[in-house]
Amino acid sequence: MEKGEILFYLNNPEKFEIVRQLADKIRMEYCGDSVHLRGIIEFSNYCHNNCCYCGLKRDNKNIIRYRMSVEEVINRAVEIASLGIKTVVLQSGDDLNYSCCDICDIVNKIKEKTDMAITLSIGERENSEYKAFKDAGADRYLLRFETSNEHYYKVLHPGQTLKRRLEILDILRKFDYQVGTGFIIGLPEETDNDLCNNIILLEDISPDMIGLGPFVSQSDTPYNNYPNGDITKTLTVLALVRITTKNTHIPATTAIGTIDKDGLFKALNSGANVIMPDFTPMIYKENYNIYDNKVSISIDMAKDVVKNAGRYISSSRGDTLKRGY
Ligand code: SAH
């Protein structure tokens, strides 16, 4: 798809059904009817970064911070495996309180005790640490570039650069991770041109997995007064990303389920082929409020949505569809 065509669909929400149907067809062709479940554990909400949109930002004094111990994370992962789930996603704020050894220990022990694929989503670390996590057994890494607009990236992420973010994605690929990236749709200053450039950047990066979700406002951030991203715009972007990237894993994200009660179902019908049920222990999950009113996707919810969409749950690990896996 040319840039002009992408922009046309972003500008004309009444044409959504056209891209949705095409995305659904391409999803069927490249991914089939199976949906992969990835169990997510949000193991710490401490963060040394200060992203304008995120409730975990360092300056937010209104949330109760928590950290799960290494043992707690491992035990939770073992519980996920016992339900037949084949991937665990370990996510946190950028929390350097977990040393490189701690993360390696978690990965190592989960690998010893289960046959699950492990995805890390713990933000920015030293290059040598990414290597160590991989050597310990991590399979995949998620790191969204959030926006391709370099200037806006700096505004959103004080002290961070888009250049480093993209460099890390390269390094992860070099270390042989299955790489996931993506962006937020409907950030306050974001234009359709930015969204279009985000989609084009994805084509360049050629990631194995792509996480997309609407901006959802969080009351303790500078962006608390801005409206949430629009559902049709979000689904249009998702569909366009499926059409342009074809053989990628694209989740129906929690943020989509948060802004629309049928969001997960709609996303599955617009190109998505993954759902990430939330396994963060009850006592912690209410404090992982990256945005307001975040829904918790249970395994039963996920199964219902998959069934209602006429699809089935995959029994495989759902590794990358690229590079000869
Ligand atoms: N520290 C990790 C994990 C961050 S949380 C990292 O930097 O990768 C995971 C994702 O939540 C982020 O990449 C961001 O895209 C998304 N997110 C955070 N706040 C959000 C908000 N207010 N609305 C929508 N998405 C948000």
Side-chain angles (χ1 to χ4, degrees):
M1 245 188 206
E2 295 292 318
K3 184 164 180 180
E5 206 178 344
I6 295 175
L7 270 175
F8 172 82
Y9 286 113
L10 292 174
N11 290 326
N12 290 282
E14 73 282 3
K15 303 282 190 221
F16 167 62
E17 189 54 22
I18 298 173
V19 273
R20 191 200 67 75
Q21 283 184 18
L22 182 56
D24 202 39
K25 190 164 153 261
I26 293 177
R27 184 271 308 155
M28 179 62 207
E29 197 176 319
Y30 287 88
C31 314
D33 268 337
S34 69
V35 175
H36 302 288
L37 298 187
R38 327 282 204 197
I40 183 165
I41 307 174
E42 298 146 336
F43 64 93
S44 161
N45 69 354
Y46 280 86
C47 192
H48 68 83
N49 286 328
N50 227 356
C51 309
C52 287
Y53 46 79
C54 183
L56 306 191
K57 71 201 304 293
R58 179 181 71 221
D59 287 351
N60 183 7
K61 305 284 183 259
N62 291 338
I63 59 168
I64 301 167
R65 303 278 174 175
Y66 69 87
R67 267 187 194 115
M68 289 171 65
S69 71
V70 168
E71 283 67 36
E72 271 180 302
V73 180
I74 296 164
N75 292 339
R76 195 66 178 155
V78 170
E79 283 171 34
I80 294 177
S82 74
L83 299 172
I85 290 181
K86 298 288 187 342
T87 298
V88 63
V89 180
L90 304 176
Q91 190 177 83
S92 67
D94 282 34
D95 182 1
L96 298 181
N97 201 57
Y98 295 88
S99 67
C100 182
C101 280
D102 291 335
I103 301 294
C104 288
D105 205 23
I106 292 173
V107 169
N108 228 311
K109 297 265 170 43
I110 295 175
K111 282 287 176 181
E112 244 171 59
K113 291 170 188 262
T114 78
D115 62 358
M116 282 191 296
I118 299 180
T119 305
L120 294 177
S121 174
I122 62 174
E124 298 191 17
R125 293 269 179 157
E126 298 297 324
N127 297 353
S128 58
E129 295 182 274
Y130 292 122
K131 177 82 171 67
F133 304 154
K134 185 74 181 61
D135 290 344
D139 301 274
R140 310 178 189 146
Y141 206 99
L142 299 180
L143 191 77
R144 294 182 177 182
F145 59 78
E146 317 291 3
T147 177
S148 63
N149 178 326
E150 214 173 322
H151 168 73
Y152 192 35
Y153 186 96
K154 278 210 191 100
V155 174
L156 291 169
H157 312 101
Q160 294 180 265
T161 63
L162 179 62
K163 184 161 168 279
R164 173 63 184 154
R165 207 77 174 173
L166 297 178
E167 182 181 82
I168 295 172
L169 293 173
D170 265 352
I171 287 162
L172 292 168
R173 170 61 50 79
K174 208 171 85 214
F175 292 154
D176 209 27
Y177 280 93
Q178 298 173 43
V179 177
T181 189
F183 55 88
I184 301 177
I185 298 153
L187 283 161
E189 316 278 322
E190 195 174 53
T191 63
D192 282 348
N193 197 49
D194 289 331
L195 285 175
C196 183
N197 289 337
N198 291 352
I199 295 171
I200 291 167
L201 177 57
L202 275 183
E203 284 182 82
D204 289 348
I205 298 173
S206 188
D208 305 289
M209 311 167 285
I210 298 170
L212 304 164
F215 163 72
V216 187
S217 83
Q218 209 283 359
S219 40
D220 303 314
T221 65
Y223 283 178
N224 58 353
N225 281 324
Y226 286 95
N228 291 347
D230 174 74
I231 183 69
T232 305
K233 175 75 75 147
T234 301
L235 295 172
T236 301
V237 171
L238 197 158
L240 288 169
V241 167
R242 169 59 72 200
I243 293 165
T244 54
T245 67
K246 298 192 170 59
N247 56 350
T248 45
H249 290 301
I250 306 180
T253 52
T254 308
I256 302 179
T258 297
I259 61 159
D260 185 306
K261 67 174 179 16
D262 299 320
L264 299 181
F265 176 82
K266 290 177 182 173
L268 284 186
N269 286 322
S270 307
N273 72 319
V274 172
I275 297 185
M276 296 163 70
D278 180 9
F279 285 94
T280 308
M282 211 54 163
I283 46 165
Y284 302 124
K285 69 169 73 172
E286 65 173 311
N287 295 315
Y288 199 79
N289 41 12
I290 48 181
Y291 46 76
D292 289 341
N293 306 314
K294 180 165 165 287
V295 293
S296 175
I297 303 173
S298 67
I299 180 99
D300 290 337
M301 255 166 86
K303 285 181 176 165
D304 277 354
V305 174
V306 170
K307 190 161 156 242
N308 291 339
R311 309 265 278 278
Y312 66 92
I313 290 171
S314 166
S315 55
S316 83
R317 286 189 359 156
D319 282 301
T320 179
L321 302 164
K322 301 185 168 173
R323 297 180 287 127
Y325 263 83

